[in-house]
Amino acid sequence: MASTLVPTVAPAVFASRRARLMAQLPNNSVLLVSAAAEITRSRDTEFAFRQDSDFNYLTGFPEPDALLIMQKSAAGEMTELLLCRPKDELAEIWQGRRYGAALAAETFGLPAISHENLPLEVQNALNQKTTLVYSQGTYAEFDALVSSTLATLRKYPKKGYQAPTQQFDLRPIIAELRLFKDEAEISMMQKACKISAQAHCNAMQQCKADMWEYQLEAIIRFHFAMQGARDAGYNTIVGGGENGCILHYTDNNAQLKDGDLVLIDAGCELAGYSADITRTFPVNGKFSAEQAALYQVVLNAQYAACAAVKPGNSTKDTVAAAIAELTKGLLELGILQGELDTLIKEQACKKYFIHGLGHWLGLDVHDVGAYKVNDVERPFEPGMVLTIEPGLYIPTGSDCDKKWWGLAVRIEDDLLVIKEGHLNLTDDVPKEIAAIEALMAGSV
Ligand code: GLY
Ligand code: MN
Ligand code: MN
């Protein structure tokens, strides 16, 4: 198979994830995990294929039209089987190489067969099991297959068929595993973060007035690709001036103006893992007084929230820290008026801080994992990776002095929780005002 710069994960790592998952299932159960489906882009061409994150987490197998079947017998013995596309000379000439069952088994370290008899394999796996575990509602074709298999098993008891009587949703079980990153994941995420941080530095260094937003995007995507990360983890956001106020702005089709800020939110995807970094900097390399003042408020909030990321604390603590700093800063700048404690209690800064403070990060940029347990914010634990991304957005017409209008600032880093607190995986890209200006002036 073609090699790339992307580091690989050893088959034993996937095997241990599957074993941990199966350990949580009752005896006499069957678990089905479908690969992602290809999506038509236009007539007979497809969008670039991206593997389903859960399937990727458990197998590392990169092709569509595949299914993982895991079974736990009544005695608790586990078996696993990958069904995949067969080798096919003609299809491979037109569409590309395929592993085929033999090479898939050898490369990914789990038994594999070609998927021609997939419906029968699924029927045999489900028959006489008590419990079925899968993610219903993600892939329509796969849902239809499971439904029709269950219908067949229910219809013909005289043939010795019996359908599972219990069904569990796979997603929350696997989400809980994915929330705690293993060594292989941490190493992959560190690489994704390093590549992304350097891409942001390149954008700062190469940014000039009158460039187009999509040209800064191209600088970033070029660096991703040259470092082995062909894809971005999400659509790159490059918002000059007031475009920064549009939270998920991806048009990226405006010209950057001398005297404006530009907000870039970009992260590469490496072996499925996403980085997620935002930096805001002046197009001409020098913050104006207003820009610097507002930027410093967000930076103070970001530092305060990051400092609260440690085992035992929760998002309650990070959000409280960020809100205290944002409110204090906005009050000092006269953008908010009133009494500090009251403004904090009323969360008055939410008028300009219009999104959440962060999210889990991993195989999905907004990664899986429950944020609350029994309706209470869960404490941070080692192995979790999250973003901290406060922002302030003051669109034209806001209820404050005109000098602030059109400013948008967000600063976002990716943090790994460790026993001693946290590691900031994205601190290679500067965020202090002086450090950004020095990098853009070419003096570092
Ligand atoms: N890049 C999307 C986000 O920061 O959540
Ligand atoms: Mn984010
Ligand atoms: Mn982001």
Side-chain angles (χ1 to χ4, degrees):
M1 280 284 129
S3 64
T4 74
L5 290 172
V6 180
T8 50
V9 176
V13 172
F14 296 108
S16 94
R17 292 176 192 164
R18 293 194 298 271
R20 272 191 291 147
L21 176 59
M22 289 306 279
Q24 297 184 45
L25 301 189
N27 287 356
N28 206 31
S29 61
V30 55
L31 181 144
L32 305 175
V33 192
S34 174
E38 285 188 292
I39 301 171
T40 302
R41 181 173 188 275
S42 144
R43 285 173 55 80
D44 58 351
T45 59
E46 282 84 38
F47 283 105
F49 178 71
R50 183 183 189 272
Q51 189 54 282
D52 177 89
S53 295
D54 285 343
F55 190 85
N56 187 10
Y57 180 76
L58 294 173
T59 68
F61 187 65
E63 295 183 7
D65 295 328
L67 180 70
L68 174 68
I69 303 179
M70 296 204 279
Q71 300 182 58
K72 199 168 186 179
S73 72
E77 279 157 15
M78 179 178 135
T79 56
E80 46 190 24
L81 184 66
L82 175 72
L83 290 99
C84 65
R85 299 183 301 190
K87 295 292 288 177
D88 179 330
E89 218 173 296
L90 189 62
E92 292 187 59
I93 284 172
W94 279 90
Q95 277 112 26
R97 295 184 184 88
R98 297 173 171 194
Y99 274 92
L103 187 58
E106 188 188 317
T107 311
F108 298 94
L110 81 174
I113 59 170
S114 152
H115 69 184
E116 277 110 339
N117 292 325
L118 189 140
L120 189 60
E121 291 291 340
V122 170
Q123 184 177 305
N124 290 340
L126 265 59
N127 190 22
Q128 300 289 338
K129 293 291 190 312
T130 309
T131 309
L132 166 64
V133 183
Y134 79 112
S135 299
Q136 193 262 331
T138 304
Y139 303 111
E141 215 177 299
F142 172 61
D143 286 349
L145 172 75
V146 175
S147 289
S148 70
T149 305
L150 290 170
T152 302
L153 292 177
R154 286 171 188 139
K155 215 187 285 179
Y156 300 114
K158 279 199 279 183
K159 290 188 184 182
Y161 293 171
Q162 195 177 324
T165 49
Q166 287 183 37
Q167 288 185 32
F168 294 170
D169 186 1
L170 170 65
R171 280 162 289 212
I173 309 172
I174 203 164
E176 195 60 22
L177 290 176
R178 282 176 48 189
L179 181 55
F180 298 91
K181 274 61 183 177
D182 60 35
E183 242 176 77
E185 295 183 288
I186 289 169
S187 142
M188 203 66 78
M189 292 189 76
Q190 280 173 322
K191 286 195 182 82
C193 287
K194 279 230 169 289
I195 293 169
S196 305
Q198 184 58 50
H200 277 263
C201 291
N202 292 0
M204 285 181 189
Q205 287 174 302
Q206 293 173 48
C207 180
K208 298 223 167 9
D210 298 335
M211 277 175 84
W212 295 83
E213 292 166 338
Y214 60 77
Q215 292 174 328
L216 273 189
E217 177 184 359
I219 288 166
I220 290 204
R221 294 293 301 263
F222 177 77
H223 183 75
F224 289 174
M226 294 311 283
Q227 296 303 310
R230 183 172 171 185
D231 294 311
Y234 52 94
N235 290 335
T236 299
I237 296 166
V238 181
E242 195 153 349
N243 290 340
C245 292
I246 302 167
L247 297 180
H248 286 168
Y249 174 79
T250 52
D251 290 343
N252 298 357
N253 58 2
Q255 232 170 342
L256 297 169
K257 289 200 201 85
D258 195 348
D260 274 355
L261 291 175
V262 57
L263 182 157
I264 300 184
D265 185 341
C268 74
E269 183 176 278
L270 195 67
Y273 289 87
S274 188
D276 185 9
I277 305 177
T278 306
R279 288 294 185 267
T280 309
F281 57 90
V283 169
N284 63 16
K286 197 96 191 95
F287 284 87
S288 72
E290 284 77 27
Q291 290 167 354
L294 194 76
Y295 184 94
Q296 193 61 47
V297 172
V298 179
L299 185 59
N300 293 345
Q302 212 253 1
Y303 279 134
C306 287
V309 175
K310 54 185 170 193
N313 274 2
S314 73
T315 49
K316 248 188 149 126
D317 303 287
T318 53
V319 169
I323 284 187
E325 285 297 330
L326 291 174
T327 313
K328 186 160 83 70
L330 288 171
L331 188 60
E332 277 165 16
L333 297 182
I335 297 172
L336 289 178
Q337 282 110 30
E339 201 265 320
L340 179 62
D341 289 341
T342 314
L343 291 171
I344 289 177
K345 210 178 301 149
E346 289 170 350
Q347 303 211 332
C349 69
K350 281 277 172 191
K351 188 166 163 194
Y352 301 108
F353 170 38
I354 50 177
H355 53 73
L357 182 64
H359 50 84
W360 307 130
L361 182 69
L363 281 168
D364 295 302
V365 62
H366 297 156
D367 208 26
V368 294
Y371 287 89
K372 287 182 172 183
V373 176
N374 298 328
D375 213 25
V376 176
E377 285 83 357
R378 71 189 301 166
F380 299 128
E381 292 179 59
M384 292 172 163
V385 180
L386 67 148
T387 68
I388 294 288
E389 48 181 305
L392 288 173
Y393 311 88
I394 312 191
T396 298
S398 295
D399 183 20
C400 62
D401 192 313
K402 275 187 181 162
K403 68 181 179 179
W404 305 110
W405 286 4
L407 292 183
V409 177
R410 179 162 70 252
I411 305 170
E412 176 175 28
D413 281 311
D414 303 341
L415 275 59
L416 165 68
V417 182
I418 58 171
K419 212 160 37 79
E420 301 77 17
H422 69 262
L423 287 178
N424 185 335
L425 305 181
T426 49
D427 61 1
D428 288 347
V429 48
K431 58 187 177 187
E432 288 284 339
I433 289 175
I436 291 174
E437 289 184 344
L439 182 67
M440 294 185 75
S443 49
V444 281

